[in-house]
Amino acid sequence: MDMTKALTYAIFIIGVAALGGLIGVSTLPGEWYAGLQKPAFTPPNWVFGPVWTTLYVMIGWVGARKWLYGGAALLWWAQMALNFIWSPVFFGLQMPGVALVIIALMWILIAVFIQREWVRDRLSALLFVPYLAWVTLASALNAGIVVLN
């Protein structure tokens, strides 16, 4: 891999992980979230940081691939925008109903991205499968919170 490509991968991975981390730290679950009724399948809070860090590295890698080689780049950017606004809406504005709409749209964009890239760029599609699985769980958690509260 030449230096320009390596730099592109580094920028995307560090950028996505750093921005995701910054948003996460600025919208930490607080007393409001602690007081909500949550579904029985809610993972412990400590799970979210490592999972999102790993996913953000994979999402950044895929973003670099779309930047360098084309493909479903607009879908990548659109799902990323929704990803980055979900936490501020859910935790910051304390609007789980609106956040549910956002995460549902994000889930659709991730699924369409996987479908569109499956033949053209199988690696990018495969790297988004764990992301889709996690967003599926997060969507169910968000929906459960809406129903229970």
Side-chain angles (χ1 to χ4, degrees):
M1 180 180 308
D2 69 32
M3 188 57 92
T4 302
K5 287 181 183 176
L7 185 58
T8 300
Y9 279 96
I11 289 168
F12 268 85
I13 292 167
I14 293 167
V16 168
L19 190 52
L22 180 63
I23 291 168
V25 167
S26 67
T27 58
L28 287 172
E31 290 180 34
W32 170 79
Y33 180 75
L36 294 174
Q37 295 294 316
K38 295 173 207 62
F41 57 88
T42 303
N45 286 344
W46 67 265
V47 169
F48 291 89
V51 168
W52 274 115
T53 301
T54 303
L55 290 173
Y56 281 145
V57 168
M58 294 189 308
I59 294 165
W61 184 273
V62 171
R65 289 180 66 80
K66 298 304 97 194
W67 182 265
L68 291 168
Y69 306 115
L74 287 178
L75 283 170
W76 186 90
W77 287 104
Q79 67 74 32
M80 199 76 267
L82 292 174
N83 181 304
F84 285 158
I85 65 170
W86 182 88
S87 283
V89 170
F90 186 92
F91 294 111
L93 298 176
Q94 300 176 357
M95 299 176 71
V98 175
L100 183 58
V101 173
I102 292 167
I103 203 167
L105 292 171
M106 184 170 70
W107 189 96
I108 291 167
L109 292 177
I110 295 164
V112 171
F113 178 91
I114 292 168
Q115 183 270 326
R116 293 237 176 114
E117 292 295 319
W118 193 256
V119 172
R120 186 182 192 285
D121 183 1
R122 182 74 49 99
L123 177 59
S124 289
L126 288 171
L127 286 171
F128 260 41
V129 170
Y131 180 31
L132 183 64
W134 184 255
V135 170
T136 300
L137 173 65
S139 299
L141 290 170
N142 192 154
I145 287 169
V146 168
V147 169
L148 294 170
N149 297 278

